[in-house]
Amino acid sequence: YKQSLAIWTELDAKDPMASTLNNTGAVYELMGEYETARTYYEQAHKIWVDRGNLYSISISLNNLGTIHQYLGDFDQALSFKQQVLKNHMELGNNHGSAGVLADIALIYLETDRPDSALAAAGQSLKLAQESDSWTQIRNAHEVLTEIYEAEGNYAQALEHYKSYKAA
């Protein structure tokens, strides 16, 4: 990625440059080097904002939200994820909205807001079903399982776990 980044920079090819920066950030994220990943995601975000592509902007915001979640900065993570949700809703992207709502639900769960977590996860499942996305349906059931289990509602957790496994 670093070699291709040099080429994209020389060619002044902004979109491939931003994608490469984003992918480099993803590698650092996978290695657990979150601060370095954040730097790359921020650079990609800046380019995509300058380009004005709302979908690409959402990718970088989502990645930044995830990094802030890993770093324990839940307010900032939630802020990024809510912006991503707004963008996906504006684009009419129910599949993407379902995914980010599941992420938001987990942030709420981590910050001891179970009612908000359930509301977000429920909305995630609804949008996933509307978009007929089995991946997102499965994801929403998994998140609902985790929320209900954390709340000690094992009967509901089991029902969603069964749906998760079925999906």
Side-chain angles (χ1 to χ4, degrees), residues 30 84 132:
L30 289 170
V84 174
D132 204 27

Side-chain angles (χ1 to χ4, degrees), residues 58-150:
S58 295
I59 291 170
S60 59
L61 287 172
N62 191 60
N63 291 339
L64 286 165
T66 299
I67 290 298
H68 281 278
Q69 188 174 357
Y70 288 148
L71 294 172
D73 185 359
F74 298 113
D75 290 336
Q76 188 65 42
L78 188 58
S79 177
F80 281 124
K81 296 288 184 169
Q82 287 170 333
Q83 182 61 50
V84 174
L85 178 60
K86 179 179 176 267
N87 292 353
H88 281 309
M89 296 300 276
E90 185 176 322
L91 292 168
N93 182 356
N94 284 353
H95 178 270
S97 296
V100 77
L101 276 163
D103 292 344
I104 288 170
L106 291 173
I107 292 170
Y108 283 138
L109 184 61
E110 285 186 82
T111 56
D112 200 29
R113 295 182 265 184
D115 292 340
S116 296
L118 277 174
Q123 183 67 15
S124 172
L125 180 58
K126 180 179 180 265
L127 291 174
Q129 290 168 332
E130 287 176 10
S131 68
D132 204 27
S133 169
W134 282 101
T135 302
Q136 293 299 357
I137 291 169
R138 180 178 169 270
N139 187 40
H141 281 298
E142 182 180 25
V143 170
L144 284 161
T145 299
E146 191 173 331
I147 294 166
Y148 281 119
E149 185 176 7

